[in-house]
Amino acid sequence: MRIVLLGPPGSGKGTQAIRLAKQLGIPQLSTGDMLRAAVSAGTSIGAKAKAIMERGELVPDELVVAIVAERISRPDAKYGFILDGFPRTIVQAAALDDILRAAGLRLDSVLELDVDEAALLGRILNRAKDATANGHARADDTEAALRVRLEEYGRQTKPLADYYREQGILKSVDGLQPIDKVASSLLEAIHTQGEGVRYAASSSP
Ligand code: AMP
């Protein structure tokens, strides 16, 4: 199963991607994690990406597309994967379609976490404060970078919802439910045919 998980910073996308990957037995592929690993390892990709990431901007498409193309060609991704943080632009989405098409494959589902974006800045600033207190802060957890990350999402990544809606594979899930409910709604969305449906856990007490 080949899945893309879309959602703005602070939507809980990373947490849900990890859970879903475990449940489905497929790898979670986070381009943010891959790029941070490249920065830590001091590779040439890391050197190109470091300052851009610290500002909260998007790394150039060709660089990220090359990383993903290599990663999804590995044996552990043969039977599927969850992409977390990729694609983030229409150019990346079209490149992913091309890569998969060339291998006779396609995406099965694109899941969008639907959240109130107005509330996100406060939520991610609090999370960043906690991370700083625990010594786990990311270099792009500053208020300035977080504002840029949200702005980049709205401008470059949000249009992907329409791109995938037109392909008939977009499923939207209410991301403001409790974590377990979001997780069950995502599973329900994956296993249900049909588009344009908003998934909320149906078994609420
Ligand atoms: P994330 O961990 O997904 O929040 O990503 C952290 C940062 O890595 C982003 O703010 C971007 O600078 C960079 N990044 C991650 N994925 C992508 C992508 N698909 N395209 C461009 N930049 C990305």
Side-chain angles (χ1 to χ4, degrees), residues 31-32 35-36 53 57-59 64 85-86 88 92 138:
T31 42
L35 288 165
R36 279 184 290 277
M53 291 173 74
E57 294 167 8
L58 294 187
V59 169
V64 191
F86 180 94
R88 262 176 156 102
Q92 293 177 17
R138 284 170 29 173

